[in-house]
Amino acid sequence: MLPIIQGQQTPRQARVSGLPVHVGAPDGKQLVAAPPAPAQSGRRPTRPGDSNAHPRHSPALDSLHGLVLGDAFGDQWLALSVDEAQARYAARELCPAPWGWTDDSAMALVLVRHLAEYGEVHQDVLARGFAAGYAADPERGYGPSMHRVLRAIGEGGDWRAVTSELFGGQGSHGNGAAMRVAPLGAWLAADLDRVAEQARLSAETTHFHVEAAAGAVAVALAAALAARSRGTAAPERPDFLLQVAELLPDGDVRSGLRIAARMPAGTSVRHAAAVLGSGYRLSAPDTVPFALWAAAGHLDDLPEAIWTCLGGWGDTDTTCAITAGVVAARTGLGGVPEHWLTARETFPV
Protein backbone atom coordinates (compact mmCIF):
# COMPACT_ATOMS: atom_id res chain seq x y z
CA MET A 1 0.00 0.00 0.00
CA LEU A 2 1.28 3.43 -0.87
CA PRO A 3 2.08 5.74 2.05
CA ILE A 4 -0.38 8.35 3.30
CA ILE A 5 0.65 11.93 3.77
CA GLN A 6 -1.12 15.11 4.68
CA GLY A 7 -0.32 18.42 3.04
CA GLN A 8 -1.20 22.06 3.24
CA GLN A 9 -4.31 23.62 1.78
CA THR A 10 -3.90 26.26 -0.88
CA PRO A 11 -6.39 29.03 -1.70
CA ARG A 12 -8.75 28.59 -4.63
CA GLN A 13 -10.22 31.43 -6.61
CA ALA A 14 -11.77 31.85 -10.03
CA ARG A 15 -11.05 34.94 -12.09
CA VAL A 16 -14.38 36.32 -13.19
CA SER A 17 -14.40 39.41 -15.40
CA GLY A 18 -10.83 40.11 -14.35
CA LEU A 19 -11.64 40.14 -10.62
CA PRO A 20 -10.42 37.48 -8.17
CA VAL A 21 -13.44 35.88 -6.48
CA HIS A 22 -12.99 33.21 -3.81
CA VAL A 23 -14.87 30.02 -4.60
CA GLY A 24 -14.91 26.42 -3.42
CA ALA A 25 -13.42 23.57 -5.35
CA PRO A 26 -15.88 21.10 -6.84
CA ASP A 27 -14.48 17.92 -5.27
CA GLY A 28 -12.34 15.89 -2.88
CA LYS A 29 -9.17 15.04 -0.79
CA GLN A 30 -6.66 12.50 0.66
CA LEU A 31 -6.07 8.77 0.60
CA VAL A 32 -6.55 5.95 3.03
CA ALA A 33 -6.26 2.21 3.06
CA ALA A 34 -8.57 0.49 0.59
CA PRO A 35 -12.06 -0.52 1.81
CA PRO A 36 -13.04 -4.21 1.90
CA ALA A 37 -13.02 -5.87 -1.50
CA PRO A 38 -16.33 -6.11 -3.35
CA ALA A 39 -17.71 -9.30 -4.81
CA GLN A 40 -15.60 -10.56 -7.65
CA SER A 41 -16.69 -9.34 -11.08
CA GLY A 42 -15.01 -12.10 -13.04
CA ARG A 43 -12.40 -9.71 -14.46
CA ARG A 44 -8.79 -10.02 -13.55
CA PRO A 45 -7.21 -6.90 -12.03
CA THR A 46 -5.70 -4.85 -14.81
CA ARG A 47 -2.37 -3.09 -14.93
CA PRO A 48 -1.92 0.44 -16.23
CA GLY A 49 -2.57 0.38 -19.94
CA ASP A 50 -2.86 -3.43 -19.76
CA SER A 51 0.87 -3.51 -20.42
CA ASN A 52 3.68 -5.35 -18.70
CA ALA A 53 5.57 -2.16 -18.00
CA HIS A 54 6.54 -1.40 -14.42
CA PRO A 55 3.61 0.66 -13.08
CA ARG A 56 5.85 3.48 -11.93
CA HIS A 57 6.80 4.07 -15.57
CA SER A 58 3.36 3.50 -17.07
CA PRO A 59 1.28 6.08 -18.93
CA ALA A 60 -1.25 5.97 -16.08
CA LEU A 61 1.31 6.90 -13.44
CA ASP A 62 2.80 9.48 -15.77
CA SER A 63 -0.68 10.92 -16.22
CA LEU A 64 -1.21 11.03 -12.46
CA HIS A 65 2.08 12.83 -11.86
CA GLY A 66 1.32 15.25 -14.68
CA LEU A 67 -2.12 15.93 -13.23
CA VAL A 68 -0.65 16.67 -9.81
CA LEU A 69 1.97 18.97 -11.32
CA GLY A 70 -0.66 20.88 -13.30
CA ASP A 71 -2.93 21.13 -10.29
CA ALA A 72 -0.17 22.42 -8.01
CA PHE A 73 1.18 24.78 -10.67
CA GLY A 74 -2.24 26.23 -11.44
CA ASP A 75 -3.40 26.61 -7.87
CA GLN A 76 -0.61 29.02 -6.93
CA TRP A 77 -1.83 31.66 -9.35
CA LEU A 78 -5.23 31.84 -7.69
CA ALA A 79 -3.70 33.49 -4.62
CA LEU A 80 -2.22 36.37 -6.63
CA SER A 81 -3.77 39.71 -7.46
CA VAL A 82 -4.84 40.14 -11.05
CA ASP A 83 -1.98 42.57 -11.73
CA GLU A 84 0.69 40.32 -10.23
CA ALA A 85 -0.65 37.25 -12.00
CA GLN A 86 -0.69 39.00 -15.36
CA ALA A 87 2.82 40.38 -14.89
CA ARG A 88 4.26 37.02 -13.85
CA TYR A 89 2.51 35.27 -16.71
CA ALA A 90 3.82 37.75 -19.28
CA ALA A 91 7.37 37.20 -17.99
CA ARG A 92 6.91 33.43 -17.55
CA GLU A 93 7.94 33.94 -13.93
CA LEU A 94 7.03 31.01 -11.71
CA CYS A 95 5.28 31.35 -8.38
CA PRO A 96 7.45 30.71 -5.31
CA ALA A 97 7.70 27.18 -3.97
CA PRO A 98 6.20 25.13 -2.46
CA TRP A 99 3.32 24.44 -4.83
CA GLY A 100 0.61 22.69 -2.85
CA TRP A 101 -1.76 20.33 -4.62
CA THR A 102 -5.50 20.31 -4.09
CA ASP A 103 -8.56 18.08 -4.10
CA ASP A 104 -8.01 17.45 -7.83
CA SER A 105 -4.89 15.44 -7.04
CA ALA A 106 -6.21 13.85 -3.87
CA MET A 107 -9.24 12.42 -5.65
CA ALA A 108 -7.14 11.29 -8.59
CA LEU A 109 -4.94 9.29 -6.24
CA VAL A 110 -7.98 7.67 -4.62
CA LEU A 111 -9.12 6.65 -8.11
CA VAL A 112 -5.72 5.28 -9.13
CA ARG A 113 -5.41 3.30 -5.91
CA HIS A 114 -8.87 1.92 -6.55
CA LEU A 115 -7.87 0.78 -10.04
CA ALA A 116 -4.69 -0.77 -8.67
CA GLU A 117 -6.77 -2.73 -6.17
CA TYR A 118 -9.70 -3.79 -8.34
CA GLY A 119 -8.81 -3.15 -11.98
CA GLU A 120 -12.14 -1.45 -12.65
CA VAL A 121 -14.62 0.87 -10.97
CA HIS A 122 -16.77 -0.58 -8.19
CA GLN A 123 -18.99 2.38 -7.47
CA ASP A 124 -19.94 1.62 -3.87
CA VAL A 125 -16.33 1.07 -2.90
CA LEU A 126 -15.06 4.09 -4.84
CA ALA A 127 -17.67 6.38 -3.31
CA ARG A 128 -16.63 5.24 0.18
CA GLY A 129 -13.01 5.74 -0.78
CA PHE A 130 -13.64 9.32 -1.84
CA ALA A 131 -15.51 9.94 1.41
CA ALA A 132 -12.75 8.38 3.51
CA GLY A 133 -10.14 10.44 1.70
CA TYR A 134 -12.12 13.59 2.34
CA ALA A 135 -12.47 12.74 6.04
CA ALA A 136 -8.72 12.21 6.30
CA ASP A 137 -7.88 15.62 4.81
CA PRO A 138 -10.95 17.83 4.26
CA GLU A 139 -9.04 21.10 3.78
CA ARG A 140 -7.76 20.52 0.25
CA GLY A 141 -10.26 22.88 -1.35
CA TYR A 142 -13.48 20.94 -1.76
CA GLY A 143 -16.46 22.93 -2.93
CA PRO A 144 -19.57 23.40 -0.79
CA SER A 145 -21.64 20.75 -2.56
CA MET A 146 -18.82 18.21 -2.37
CA HIS A 147 -18.43 18.83 1.35
CA ARG A 148 -22.08 17.86 1.74
CA VAL A 149 -21.86 14.86 -0.59
CA LEU A 150 -18.74 13.33 0.90
CA ARG A 151 -19.79 13.93 4.49
CA ALA A 152 -23.14 12.28 3.81
CA ILE A 153 -21.53 9.26 2.15
CA GLY A 154 -19.04 9.01 4.98
CA GLU A 155 -21.91 8.95 7.46
CA GLY A 156 -23.43 5.97 5.66
CA GLY A 157 -25.62 7.63 3.06
CA ASP A 158 -26.27 5.93 -0.28
CA TRP A 159 -24.22 7.82 -2.84
CA ARG A 160 -26.99 7.39 -5.43
CA ALA A 161 -29.49 9.24 -3.28
CA VAL A 162 -26.99 11.80 -2.05
CA THR A 163 -25.70 12.81 -5.48
CA SER A 164 -29.06 12.77 -7.26
CA GLU A 165 -30.68 15.09 -4.71
CA LEU A 166 -28.38 18.01 -5.50
CA PHE A 167 -29.58 21.02 -7.46
CA GLY A 168 -33.25 20.12 -7.52
CA GLY A 169 -32.68 16.53 -8.53
CA GLN A 170 -30.41 17.29 -11.47
CA GLY A 171 -27.17 16.49 -9.65
CA SER A 172 -23.93 18.42 -9.94
CA HIS A 173 -22.61 19.21 -13.41
CA GLY A 174 -19.36 20.50 -11.92
CA ASN A 175 -15.89 19.80 -13.26
CA GLY A 176 -14.82 17.61 -10.33
CA ALA A 177 -15.40 14.27 -12.05
CA ALA A 178 -13.35 15.43 -15.03
CA MET A 179 -10.47 16.87 -13.02
CA ARG A 180 -9.44 13.51 -11.50
CA VAL A 181 -10.02 11.03 -14.31
CA ALA A 182 -7.14 11.33 -16.81
CA PRO A 183 -5.12 8.48 -15.24
CA LEU A 184 -8.09 6.14 -15.67
CA GLY A 185 -8.04 6.80 -19.40
CA ALA A 186 -4.34 6.07 -19.60
CA TRP A 187 -4.76 2.95 -17.45
CA LEU A 188 -7.43 1.42 -19.70
CA ALA A 189 -6.18 2.91 -22.97
CA ALA A 190 -6.26 -0.38 -24.87
CA ASP A 191 -10.08 -0.33 -24.98
CA LEU A 192 -11.78 3.01 -25.67
CA ASP A 193 -15.27 1.65 -25.05
CA ARG A 194 -14.17 0.48 -21.63
CA VAL A 195 -12.52 3.82 -20.96
CA ALA A 196 -15.83 5.58 -21.62
CA GLU A 197 -17.80 3.12 -19.50
CA GLN A 198 -15.43 3.25 -16.54
CA ALA A 199 -15.07 7.03 -16.64
CA ARG A 200 -18.86 7.36 -16.54
CA LEU A 201 -19.08 4.99 -13.59
CA SER A 202 -16.38 6.90 -11.73
CA ALA A 203 -18.15 10.21 -12.33
CA GLU A 204 -21.54 9.03 -11.09
CA THR A 205 -20.26 8.37 -7.58
CA THR A 206 -20.12 12.13 -6.94
CA HIS A 207 -21.68 13.84 -10.00
CA PHE A 208 -25.14 12.69 -11.08
CA HIS A 209 -25.59 15.13 -13.98
CA VAL A 210 -25.07 13.76 -17.49
CA GLU A 211 -22.81 16.66 -18.49
CA ALA A 212 -20.49 16.01 -15.55
CA ALA A 213 -20.21 12.41 -16.69
CA ALA A 214 -19.65 13.52 -20.29
CA GLY A 215 -16.84 15.78 -19.15
CA ALA A 216 -15.18 12.89 -17.32
CA VAL A 217 -15.58 10.60 -20.32
CA ALA A 218 -14.06 13.25 -22.61
CA VAL A 219 -10.98 13.71 -20.42
CA ALA A 220 -10.49 9.97 -19.98
CA LEU A 221 -10.77 9.37 -23.72
CA ALA A 222 -8.30 12.17 -24.42
CA ALA A 223 -5.80 10.66 -21.99
CA ALA A 224 -6.31 7.23 -23.56
CA LEU A 225 -5.71 8.59 -27.04
CA ALA A 226 -2.63 10.45 -25.82
CA ALA A 227 -1.25 7.27 -24.23
CA ARG A 228 -2.01 5.24 -27.37
CA SER A 229 -0.11 7.77 -29.49
CA ARG A 230 3.20 7.26 -27.66
CA GLY A 231 6.02 6.61 -30.09
CA THR A 232 4.15 8.10 -33.06
CA ALA A 233 3.68 11.61 -34.40
CA ALA A 234 1.26 13.67 -32.37
CA PRO A 235 -2.15 14.08 -34.00
CA GLU A 236 -3.18 17.51 -35.17
CA ARG A 237 -5.28 19.48 -32.70
CA PRO A 238 -8.55 19.38 -34.73
CA ASP A 239 -8.23 15.65 -35.39
CA PHE A 240 -7.56 14.87 -31.74
CA LEU A 241 -10.49 16.94 -30.47
CA LEU A 242 -12.89 15.56 -33.06
CA GLN A 243 -11.90 12.01 -32.26
CA VAL A 244 -12.81 12.63 -28.61
CA ALA A 245 -16.03 14.46 -29.52
CA GLU A 246 -17.27 11.71 -31.80
CA LEU A 247 -17.11 9.21 -28.93
CA LEU A 248 -19.32 11.34 -26.65
CA PRO A 249 -23.09 11.56 -26.34
CA ASP A 250 -24.80 14.66 -27.70
CA GLY A 251 -24.65 17.53 -25.24
CA ASP A 252 -22.80 20.64 -24.21
CA VAL A 253 -19.39 19.03 -23.64
CA ARG A 254 -19.48 17.41 -27.09
CA SER A 255 -20.59 20.68 -28.70
CA GLY A 256 -17.79 22.57 -26.96
CA LEU A 257 -15.19 20.14 -28.24
CA ARG A 258 -16.51 20.43 -31.79
CA ILE A 259 -16.31 24.21 -31.54
CA ALA A 260 -12.75 23.91 -30.19
CA ALA A 261 -11.80 21.66 -33.10
CA ARG A 262 -13.00 24.25 -35.60
CA MET A 263 -10.91 27.07 -34.16
CA PRO A 264 -8.28 28.10 -36.71
CA ALA A 265 -4.58 27.64 -36.14
CA GLY A 266 -3.21 30.69 -34.41
CA THR A 267 -6.28 31.24 -32.24
CA SER A 268 -5.15 33.07 -29.12
CA VAL A 269 -5.52 31.56 -25.69
CA ARG A 270 -7.62 34.52 -24.61
CA HIS A 271 -10.03 34.02 -27.51
CA ALA A 272 -10.28 30.27 -26.94
CA ALA A 273 -11.05 30.82 -23.25
CA ALA A 274 -13.62 33.51 -24.05
CA VAL A 275 -15.45 31.23 -26.48
CA LEU A 276 -15.13 27.91 -24.66
CA GLY A 277 -15.00 29.05 -21.05
CA SER A 278 -12.10 28.24 -18.75
CA GLY A 279 -13.78 26.94 -15.63
CA TYR A 280 -14.97 30.11 -13.96
CA ARG A 281 -18.46 28.58 -13.74
CA LEU A 282 -16.89 25.40 -12.30
CA SER A 283 -18.95 23.27 -14.68
CA ALA A 284 -17.82 20.47 -16.96
CA PRO A 285 -19.03 22.16 -20.19
CA ASP A 286 -17.27 25.38 -19.13
CA THR A 287 -13.99 23.60 -18.31
CA VAL A 288 -13.32 20.48 -20.36
CA PRO A 289 -13.37 21.83 -23.95
CA PHE A 290 -10.82 24.55 -23.17
CA ALA A 291 -8.54 22.28 -21.14
CA LEU A 292 -8.50 19.70 -23.93
CA TRP A 293 -7.95 22.44 -26.54
CA ALA A 294 -4.84 23.50 -24.61
CA ALA A 295 -3.65 19.90 -24.34
CA ALA A 296 -4.29 19.05 -27.98
CA GLY A 297 -2.12 21.91 -29.18
CA HIS A 298 0.94 20.80 -27.20
CA LEU A 299 0.86 17.02 -27.01
CA ASP A 300 4.67 16.84 -27.18
CA ASP A 301 5.46 19.62 -24.67
CA LEU A 302 4.03 19.32 -21.17
CA PRO A 303 5.40 22.61 -19.75
CA GLU A 304 4.14 24.56 -22.76
CA ALA A 305 0.73 22.91 -22.47
CA ILE A 306 0.51 24.00 -18.82
CA TRP A 307 1.58 27.57 -19.58
CA THR A 308 -0.94 27.74 -22.42
CA CYS A 309 -3.73 26.47 -20.21
CA LEU A 310 -2.84 28.92 -17.47
CA GLY A 311 -3.34 31.79 -19.90
CA GLY A 312 -7.06 31.07 -20.01
CA TRP A 313 -7.27 31.88 -16.27
CA GLY A 314 -10.54 30.77 -14.67
CA ASP A 315 -10.33 27.64 -12.47
CA THR A 316 -6.63 27.25 -13.16
CA ASP A 317 -5.79 24.39 -10.84
CA THR A 318 -8.46 22.23 -12.45
CA THR A 319 -7.90 23.26 -16.06
CA CYS A 320 -4.14 22.80 -15.68
CA ALA A 321 -4.67 19.44 -13.95
CA ILE A 322 -6.80 18.18 -16.84
CA THR A 323 -4.42 19.49 -19.51
CA ALA A 324 -1.34 18.11 -17.82
CA GLY A 325 -2.91 14.75 -17.03
CA VAL A 326 -3.72 14.26 -20.71
CA VAL A 327 -0.39 15.40 -22.12
CA ALA A 328 1.70 13.50 -19.55
CA ALA A 329 -0.04 10.28 -20.59
CA ARG A 330 1.89 10.70 -23.85
CA THR A 331 5.09 12.48 -22.80
CA GLY A 332 5.72 11.51 -19.21
CA LEU A 333 7.54 14.11 -17.13
CA GLY A 334 10.92 13.81 -18.80
CA GLY A 335 10.71 17.26 -20.37
CA VAL A 336 9.68 19.06 -17.19
CA PRO A 337 12.36 21.28 -15.61
CA GLU A 338 13.70 19.81 -12.40
CA HIS A 339 12.90 22.95 -10.41
CA TRP A 340 9.22 22.54 -11.29
CA LEU A 341 9.25 19.04 -9.85
CA THR A 342 11.03 20.04 -6.66
CA ALA A 343 8.68 23.00 -6.18
CA ARG A 344 5.64 20.73 -6.15
CA GLU A 345 4.49 19.49 -2.76
CA THR A 346 5.52 15.89 -2.12
CA PHE A 347 2.98 13.40 -3.45
CA PRO A 348 2.60 9.86 -2.07
CA VAL A 349 3.37 7.85 -5.21
Side-chain angles (χ1 to χ4, degrees):
M1 179 60 67
L2 296 173
I4 300 169
I5 67 166
Q6 300 222 354
Q8 63 193 42
Q9 180 188 13
T10 52
R12 293 177 54 91
Q13 299 170 304
R15 297 186 183 280
V16 183
S17 302
L19 298 176
V21 181
H22 287 277
V23 298
D27 287 307
K29 243 64 264 169
Q30 265 272 192
L31 319 314
V32 297
Q40 293 298 313
S41 67
R43 292 185 185 270
R44 65 172 177 81
T46 57
R47 296 299 179 194
D50 274 337
S51 73
N52 293 321
H54 191 287
R56 288 191 180 275
H57 301 291
S58 73
L61 267 291
D62 285 343
S63 176
L64 176 62
H65 281 291
L67 184 158
V68 177
L69 179 65
D71 171 28
F73 179 99
D75 188 63
Q76 307 316 299
W77 298 77
L78 298 174
L80 305 180
S81 70
V82 172
D83 289 344
E84 183 180 359
Q86 293 286 358
R88 281 183 176 273
Y89 180 74
R92 292 277 177 113
E93 181 182 348
L94 298 172
C95 292
W99 302 345
W101 41 269
T102 77
D103 57 323
D104 303 43
S105 300
M107 295 193 89
L109 183 50
V110 171
L111 179 56
V112 169
R113 285 178 164 170
H114 183 86
L115 291 171
E117 185 75 13
Y118 305 117
E120 63 186 3
V121 172
H122 294 268
Q123 289 179 303
D124 292 345
V125 179
L126 182 60
R128 292 197 301 269
F130 285 142
Y134 166 80
D137 188 5
E139 301 302 325
R140 285 276 173 186
Y142 295 84
S145 66
M146 209 46 48
H147 281 289
R148 293 196 298 274
V149 165
L150 295 174
R151 283 172 182 161
I153 295 171
E155 291 167 359
D158 184 338
W159 61 266
R160 297 164 187 84
V162 171
T163 61
S164 63
E165 288 170 356
L166 293 177
F167 303 103
Q170 296 184 76
S172 172
H173 72 321
N175 56 24
M179 72 188 184
R180 66 194 185 217
V181 79
L184 179 149
W187 192 295
L188 302 173
D191 185 341
L192 295 181
D193 288 338
R194 192 165 183 229
V195 168
E197 173 205 32
Q198 295 292 304
R200 176 184 57 79
L201 292 174
S202 75
E204 289 172 350
T205 60
T206 53
H207 291 72
F208 181 73
H209 198 286
V210 293
E211 289 295 339
V217 171
V219 172
L221 287 168
L225 293 170
R228 287 160 67 114
S229 73
R230 283 190 169 200
T232 66
E236 295 295 322
R237 176 185 267 156
D239 297 336
F240 185 84
L241 294 173
L242 285 174
Q243 190 171 0
V244 174
E246 292 308 310
L247 295 170
L248 298 179
D250 287 336
D252 292 342
V253 173
R254 186 173 190 258
S255 295
L257 285 171
R258 291 175 66 84
I259 292 168
R262 292 197 299 268
M263 288 181 168
T267 297
S268 70
V269 177
R270 172 177 287 189
H271 181 72
V275 172
L276 301 172
S278 58
Y280 74 89
R281 293 188 179 93
L282 302 178
S283 74
D286 178 56
T287 302
V288 170
F290 172 75
L292 295 186
W293 176 87
H298 301 284
L299 286 171
D300 283 327
D301 191 336
L302 178 56
E304 189 61 30
I306 294 173
W307 276 117
T308 297
C309 187
L310 178 67
W313 302 113
D315 190 17
T316 52
D317 62 327
T318 292
T319 55
C320 289
I322 292 171
T323 294
V326 169
V327 175
R330 171 179 166 86
T331 65
L333 272 68
V336 176
E338 183 63 27
H339 60 278
W340 285 36
L341 301 177
T342 56
R344 189 201 71 182
E345 178 190 356
T346 302
F347 194 67
V349 175

